[in-house]
PDB file of all heavy atoms in Angstrom:
ATOM      1  N   GLU A 609     112.916 161.930  93.938  1.00 92.00           N
ATOM      2  CA  GLU A 609     111.888 161.733  94.975  1.00 92.00           C
ATOM      3  C   GLU A 609     110.625 162.431  94.473  1.00 92.00           C
ATOM      4  O   GLU A 609     110.614 163.643  94.296  1.00 92.00           O
ATOM      5  CB  GLU A 609     112.367 162.337  96.299  1.00 92.00           C
ATOM      6  CG  GLU A 609     111.523 161.892  97.473  1.00 92.00           C
ATOM      7  CD  GLU A 609     112.014 162.491  98.787  1.00 92.00           C
ATOM      8  OE1 GLU A 609     111.982 163.727  98.910  1.00 92.00           O
ATOM      9  OE2 GLU A 609     112.425 161.733  99.660  1.00 92.00           O
ATOM     10  N   VAL A 610     109.597 161.642  94.222  1.00 90.00           N
ATOM     11  CA  VAL A 610     108.390 162.164  93.584  1.00 90.00           C
ATOM     12  C   VAL A 610     107.288 162.450  94.609  1.00 90.00           C
ATOM     13  O   VAL A 610     106.603 163.472  94.535  1.00 90.00           O
ATOM     14  CB  VAL A 610     107.879 161.181  92.499  1.00 90.00           C
ATOM     15  CG1 VAL A 610     106.595 161.694  91.857  1.00 90.00           C
ATOM     16  CG2 VAL A 610     108.961 160.971  91.431  1.00 90.00           C
ATOM     17  N   ALA A 611     107.090 161.555  95.578  1.00 93.00           N
ATOM     18  CA  ALA A 611     106.063 161.788  96.598  1.00 93.00           C
ATOM     19  C   ALA A 611     106.362 163.110  97.286  1.00 93.00           C
ATOM     20  O   ALA A 611     107.527 163.446  97.520  1.00 93.00           O
ATOM     21  CB  ALA A 611     106.067 160.653  97.610  1.00 93.00           C
ATOM     22  N   VAL A 612     105.325 163.846  97.584  1.00 93.00           N
ATOM     23  CA  VAL A 612     105.529 165.174  98.168  1.00 93.00           C
ATOM     24  C   VAL A 612     106.261 165.077  99.511  1.00 93.00           C
ATOM     25  O   VAL A 612     107.162 165.864  99.796  1.00 93.00           O
ATOM     26  CB  VAL A 612     104.175 165.904  98.283  1.00 93.00           C
ATOM     27  CG1 VAL A 612     104.267 167.092  99.216  1.00 93.00           C
ATOM     28  CG2 VAL A 612     103.745 166.374  96.898  1.00 93.00           C
ATOM     29  N   ALA A 613     105.893 164.106 100.324  1.00 96.00           N
ATOM     30  CA  ALA A 613     106.558 163.977 101.626  1.00 96.00           C
ATOM     31  C   ALA A 613     107.925 163.326 101.442  1.00 96.00           C
ATOM     32  O   ALA A 613     108.059 162.283 100.806  1.00 96.00           O
ATOM     33  CB  ALA A 613     105.703 163.137 102.564  1.00 96.00           C
ATOM     34  N   SER A 614     108.921 163.955 102.000  1.00 97.00           N
ATOM     35  CA  SER A 614     110.292 163.498 101.824  1.00 97.00           C
ATOM     36  C   SER A 614     110.568 162.274 102.698  1.00 97.00           C
ATOM     37  O   SER A 614     110.259 162.268 103.886  1.00 97.00           O
ATOM     38  CB  SER A 614     111.214 164.642 102.236  1.00 97.00           C
ATOM     39  OG  SER A 614     112.504 164.404 101.796  1.00 97.00           O
ATOM     40  N   THR A 615     111.145 161.227 102.115  1.00 98.00           N
ATOM     41  CA  THR A 615     111.491 160.035 102.907  1.00 98.00           C
ATOM     42  C   THR A 615     112.921 159.610 102.608  1.00 98.00           C
ATOM     43  O   THR A 615     113.824 159.840 103.395  1.00 98.00           O
ATOM     44  CB  THR A 615     110.515 158.871 102.623  1.00 98.00           C
ATOM     45  OG1 THR A 615     110.453 158.628 101.219  1.00 98.00           O
ATOM     46  CG2 THR A 615     109.138 159.163 103.171  1.00 98.00           C
ATOM     47  N   LYS A 616     113.119 159.060 101.397  1.00 97.00           N
ATOM     48  CA  LYS A 616     114.464 158.533 101.132  1.00 97.00           C
ATOM     49  C   LYS A 616     115.500 159.648 101.079  1.00 97.00           C
ATOM     50  O   LYS A 616     116.672 159.419 101.388  1.00 97.00           O
ATOM     51  CB  LYS A 616     114.479 157.712  99.843  1.00 97.00           C
ATOM     52  CG  LYS A 616     114.185 158.496  98.573  1.00 97.00           C
ATOM     53  CD  LYS A 616     114.354 157.608  97.353  1.00 97.00           C
ATOM     54  CE  LYS A 616     113.998 158.353  96.081  1.00 97.00           C
ATOM     55  NZ  LYS A 616     114.293 157.580  94.881  1.00 97.00           N
ATOM     56  N   ALA A 617     115.080 160.852 100.716  1.00 98.00           N
ATOM     57  CA  ALA A 617     116.043 161.961 100.668  1.00 98.00           C
ATOM     58  C   ALA A 617     116.602 162.236 102.059  1.00 98.00           C
ATOM     59  O   ALA A 617     117.765 162.606 102.213  1.00 98.00           O
ATOM     60  CB  ALA A 617     115.388 163.214 100.114  1.00 98.00           C
ATOM     61  N   LEU A 618     115.753 162.032 103.084  1.00 98.00           N
ATOM     62  CA  LEU A 618     116.192 162.315 104.455  1.00 98.00           C
ATOM     63  C   LEU A 618     117.340 161.382 104.862  1.00 98.00           C
ATOM     64  O   LEU A 618     118.358 161.840 105.404  1.00 98.00           O
ATOM     65  CB  LEU A 618     114.997 162.166 105.411  1.00 98.00           C
ATOM     66  CG  LEU A 618     115.292 162.221 106.895  1.00 98.00           C
ATOM     67  CD1 LEU A 618     115.933 163.548 107.291  1.00 98.00           C
ATOM     68  CD2 LEU A 618     114.007 162.008 107.704  1.00 98.00           C
ATOM     69  N   GLY A 619     117.181 160.091 104.588  1.00 97.00           N
ATOM     70  CA  GLY A 619     118.256 159.146 104.913  1.00 97.00           C
ATOM     71  C   GLY A 619     119.540 159.551 104.205  1.00 97.00           C
ATOM     72  O   GLY A 619     120.642 159.506 104.782  1.00 97.00           O
ATOM     73  N   ALA A 620     119.408 159.962 102.957  1.00 98.00           N
ATOM     74  CA  ALA A 620     120.591 160.357 102.185  1.00 98.00           C
ATOM     75  C   ALA A 620     121.199 161.652 102.743  1.00 98.00           C
ATOM     76  O   ALA A 620     122.417 161.808 102.795  1.00 98.00           O
ATOM     77  CB  ALA A 620     120.210 160.524 100.717  1.00 98.00           C
ATOM     78  N   GLN A 621     120.337 162.568 103.178  1.00 98.00           N
ATOM     79  CA  GLN A 621     120.848 163.842 103.733  1.00 98.00           C
ATOM     80  C   GLN A 621     121.634 163.588 105.024  1.00 98.00           C
ATOM     81  O   GLN A 621     122.701 164.163 105.254  1.00 98.00           O
ATOM     82  CB  GLN A 621     119.681 164.793 104.036  1.00 98.00           C
ATOM     83  CG  GLN A 621     119.056 165.397 102.789  1.00 98.00           C
ATOM     84  CD  GLN A 621     117.657 165.962 103.018  1.00 98.00           C
ATOM     85  OE1 GLN A 621     117.051 165.740 104.073  1.00 98.00           O
ATOM     86  NE2 GLN A 621     117.143 166.675 102.042  1.00 98.00           N
ATOM     87  N   VAL A 622     121.075 162.720 105.871  1.00 98.00           N
ATOM     88  CA  VAL A 622     121.760 162.409 107.130  1.00 98.00           C
ATOM     89  C   VAL A 622     123.112 161.752 106.822  1.00 98.00           C
ATOM     90  O   VAL A 622     124.141 162.091 107.413  1.00 98.00           O
ATOM     91  CB  VAL A 622     120.864 161.514 108.017  1.00 98.00           C
ATOM     92  CG1 VAL A 622     121.631 160.989 109.215  1.00 98.00           C
ATOM     93  CG2 VAL A 622     119.628 162.291 108.468  1.00 98.00           C
ATOM     94  N   THR A 623     123.105 160.860 105.843  1.00 98.00           N
ATOM     95  CA  THR A 623     124.364 160.196 105.462  1.00 98.00           C
ATOM     96  C   THR A 623     125.380 161.231 104.976  1.00 98.00           C
ATOM     97  O   THR A 623     126.555 161.195 105.354  1.00 98.00           O
ATOM     98  CB  THR A 623     124.079 159.163 104.341  1.00 98.00           C
ATOM     99  OG1 THR A 623     123.050 158.299 104.794  1.00 98.00           O
ATOM    100  CG2 THR A 623     125.314 158.363 103.994  1.00 98.00           C
ATOM    101  N   ALA A 624     124.928 162.152 104.147  1.00 98.00           N
ATOM    102  CA  ALA A 624     125.852 163.149 103.584  1.00 98.00           C
ATOM    103  C   ALA A 624     126.407 164.060 104.675  1.00 98.00           C
ATOM    104  O   ALA A 624     127.593 164.399 104.666  1.00 98.00           O
ATOM    105  CB  ALA A 624     125.137 163.966 102.512  1.00 98.00           C
ATOM    106  N   ILE A 625     125.572 164.422 105.626  1.00 98.00           N
ATOM    107  CA  ILE A 625     126.090 165.327 106.658  1.00 98.00           C
ATOM    108  C   ILE A 625     127.050 164.582 107.586  1.00 98.00           C
ATOM    109  O   ILE A 625     128.004 165.160 108.108  1.00 98.00           O
ATOM    110  CB  ILE A 625     124.961 166.068 107.400  1.00 98.00           C
ATOM    111  CG1 ILE A 625     125.542 167.315 108.057  1.00 98.00           C
ATOM    112  CG2 ILE A 625     124.257 165.225 108.428  1.00 98.00           C
ATOM    113  CD1 ILE A 625     124.694 168.504 107.998  1.00 98.00           C
ATOM    114  N   TYR A 626     126.834 163.288 107.751  1.00 98.00           N
ATOM    115  CA  TYR A 626     127.811 162.499 108.511  1.00 98.00           C
ATOM    116  C   TYR A 626     129.154 162.491 107.773  1.00 98.00           C
ATOM    117  O   TYR A 626     130.212 162.598 108.394  1.00 98.00           O
ATOM    118  CB  TYR A 626     127.328 161.061 108.691  1.00 98.00           C
ATOM    119  CG  TYR A 626     126.199 160.858 109.686  1.00 98.00           C
ATOM    120  CD1 TYR A 626     125.516 159.642 109.758  1.00 98.00           C
ATOM    121  CD2 TYR A 626     125.820 161.869 110.576  1.00 98.00           C
ATOM    122  CE1 TYR A 626     124.487 159.433 110.675  1.00 98.00           C
ATOM    123  CE2 TYR A 626     124.795 161.668 111.490  1.00 98.00           C
ATOM    124  CZ  TYR A 626     124.128 160.453 111.538  1.00 98.00           C
ATOM    125  OH  TYR A 626     123.117 160.243 112.430  1.00 98.00           O
ATOM    126  N   LEU A 627     129.112 162.323 106.453  1.00 98.00           N
ATOM    127  CA  LEU A 627     130.368 162.331 105.686  1.00 98.00           C
ATOM    128  C   LEU A 627     131.080 163.660 105.880  1.00 98.00           C
ATOM    129  O   LEU A 627     132.292 163.712 106.084  1.00 98.00           O
ATOM    130  CB  LEU A 627     130.082 162.090 104.199  1.00 98.00           C
ATOM    131  CG  LEU A 627     129.685 160.663 103.815  1.00 98.00           C
ATOM    132  CD1 LEU A 627     129.247 160.602 102.358  1.00 98.00           C
ATOM    133  CD2 LEU A 627     130.840 159.689 104.053  1.00 98.00           C
ATOM    134  N   LEU A 628     130.305 164.741 105.856  1.00 98.00           N
ATOM    135  CA  LEU A 628     130.911 166.062 106.064  1.00 98.00           C
ATOM    136  C   LEU A 628     131.520 166.139 107.464  1.00 98.00           C
ATOM    137  O   LEU A 628     132.651 166.610 107.639  1.00 98.00           O
ATOM    138  CB  LEU A 628     129.848 167.162 105.879  1.00 98.00           C
ATOM    139  CG  LEU A 628     130.301 168.575 106.212  1.00 98.00           C
ATOM    140  CD1 LEU A 628     131.402 169.037 105.261  1.00 98.00           C
ATOM    141  CD2 LEU A 628     129.129 169.560 106.167  1.00 98.00           C
ATOM    142  N   GLY A 629     130.785 165.652 108.461  1.00 98.00           N
ATOM    143  CA  GLY A 629     131.274 165.701 109.848  1.00 98.00           C
ATOM    144  C   GLY A 629     132.574 164.923 110.001  1.00 98.00           C
ATOM    145  O   GLY A 629     133.517 165.378 110.651  1.00 98.00           O
ATOM    146  N   LEU A 630     132.642 163.758 109.359  1.00 98.00           N
ATOM    147  CA  LEU A 630     133.852 162.938 109.485  1.00 98.00           C
ATOM    148  C   LEU A 630     135.012 163.550 108.698  1.00 98.00           C
ATOM    149  O   LEU A 630     136.157 163.478 109.123  1.00 98.00           O
ATOM    150  CB  LEU A 630     133.557 161.504 109.028  1.00 98.00           C
ATOM    151  CG  LEU A 630     132.595 160.751 109.966  1.00 98.00           C
ATOM    152  CD1 LEU A 630     132.183 159.414 109.378  1.00 98.00           C
ATOM    153  CD2 LEU A 630     133.215 160.559 111.357  1.00 98.00           C
TER     154      LEU A 630
END
Side-chain angles (χ1 to χ4, degrees):
E609 194 180 63
V610 178
V612 164
S614 194
T615 53
K616 65 175 177 173
L618 171 60
Q621 287 161 350
V622 171
T623 306
I625 201 140
Y626 287 168
L627 287 172
L628 174 65
L630 292 172

